[in-house]
Amino acid sequence: MKKELNIQLDTHMELIQEVAFKSLDGIKVSEIKELRYTCKKDEIAFFNKIKLKFILHLGFLGLEYKITHEVEPILFSYIRYLLHELPVENLDSDDKFHLSIN
């Protein structure tokens, strides 16, 4: 039986954070800039592009945990936050970010 993914628990929020980091690991500066532009111009297209990045990693988490309806919006918001906070100024378009939880 799957465990309930409880967003009230720090350890479970860390699992969601890990999904977000895995979803963005290796992302290029050019892709971040493109996603930021898409976010400003077309929120639905932005959501769809972000969902494609995290759906596989969330699916793997779902093998062990029951993913509730509240998890996806939290994950989307966190990834959106990360994309807007990553420092891309003065970086080459081909530079990549490698994210991990330490």
Side-chain angles (χ1 to χ4, degrees):
M1 183 169 192
K2 292 183 183 182
K3 303 174 210 165
E4 182 87 21
L5 189 60
N6 182 349
I7 61 169
Q8 303 302 320
L9 298 175
D10 288 343
T11 55
H12 288 196
M13 284 304 292
E14 287 174 7
L15 293 172
I16 293 172
Q17 182 181 27
E18 186 177 340
V19 168
F21 282 14
K22 285 180 180 178
S23 300
L24 295 178
D25 188 44
I27 192 169
K28 290 184 178 182
V29 169
S30 59
E31 190 176 358
I32 293 170
K33 289 179 178 180
E34 178 187 332
L35 286 167
R36 287 178 180 177
Y37 177 79
T38 303
C39 183
K40 289 179 187 175
K41 297 296 179 187
D42 187 348
E43 185 72 23
I44 293 171
F46 177 73
F47 175 80
N48 290 334
K49 288 181 179 189
I50 297 305
K51 189 165 186 171
L52 288 173
K53 292 199 149 301
F54 74 69
I55 197 70
L56 178 66
H57 302 290
L58 185 60
F60 284 129
L61 184 62
L63 293 174
E64 189 174 343
Y65 291 91
K66 180 179 175 191
I67 306 298
T68 61
H69 67 281
E70 58 197 357
V71 171
E72 189 173 327
I74 290 169
L75 182 58
F76 174 77
S77 295
Y78 188 59
I79 290 175
R80 181 183 185 150
Y81 168 79
L82 289 173
L83 283 171
H84 285 87
E85 291 300 314
L86 290 171
V88 297
E89 293 74 25
N90 303 321
L91 294 177
D92 187 55
S93 292
D94 290 330
D95 287 347
K96 294 180 180 182
F97 282 89
H98 296 285
L99 307 174
S100 63
I101 298 176
N102 293 331

